[in-house]
Amino acid sequence: MSSEGFLKEVQAIGEKFLLKLQRLPKAEPVEIVSFSVVLLFIVTVLVLTIIACSCCCSSCCGCDGRPDPRHRKSQVRPAAR
């Protein structure tokens, strides 16, 4: 998919989302609850992704972007018998 096609898709999804938000005050309670659940799910996934990325980045690299020497990987060799 080209970048133009992707941008058009994102714009179409955004327009549908805005249209849904505009119709929300007139919607039935079931529709409001279902929309809230979907929105909560999306926000939760985004927050957990940000937390996971920040934890992963901070554990292997310092704030300056250089690898932390305390977290070197060591090779495990079989024990000699």
Side-chain angles (χ1 to χ4, degrees):
M1 177 182 269
S2 68
S3 62
E4 272 186 36
F6 179 73
L7 289 176
K8 286 182 182 179
E9 279 295 317
V10 170
Q11 185 178 7
I13 291 171
E15 288 173 358
K16 288 179 186 177
F17 182 74
L18 287 176
L19 184 63
K20 192 73 162 174
L21 280 176
Q22 289 172 350
R23 292 183 183 170
L24 202 58
K26 300 174 190 172
E28 296 179 17
V30 174
E31 191 174 359
I32 293 172
V33 169
S34 63
F35 182 75
S36 300
V37 168
V38 170
L39 195 62
L40 181 66
F41 175 76
I42 292 170
V43 169
T44 303
V45 169
L46 290 175
V47 167
L48 289 176
T49 304
I50 291 170
I51 290 171
C53 289
S54 66
C55 289
C56 177
C57 186
S58 67
S59 70
C60 68
C61 298
C63 292
D64 56 358
R66 288 183 280 174
D68 190 358
R70 295 177 290 168
H71 289 65
R72 290 187 191 154
K73 292 183 179 179
S74 60
Q75 285 185 332
V76 177
R77 297 182 185 175
R81 292 186 180 190

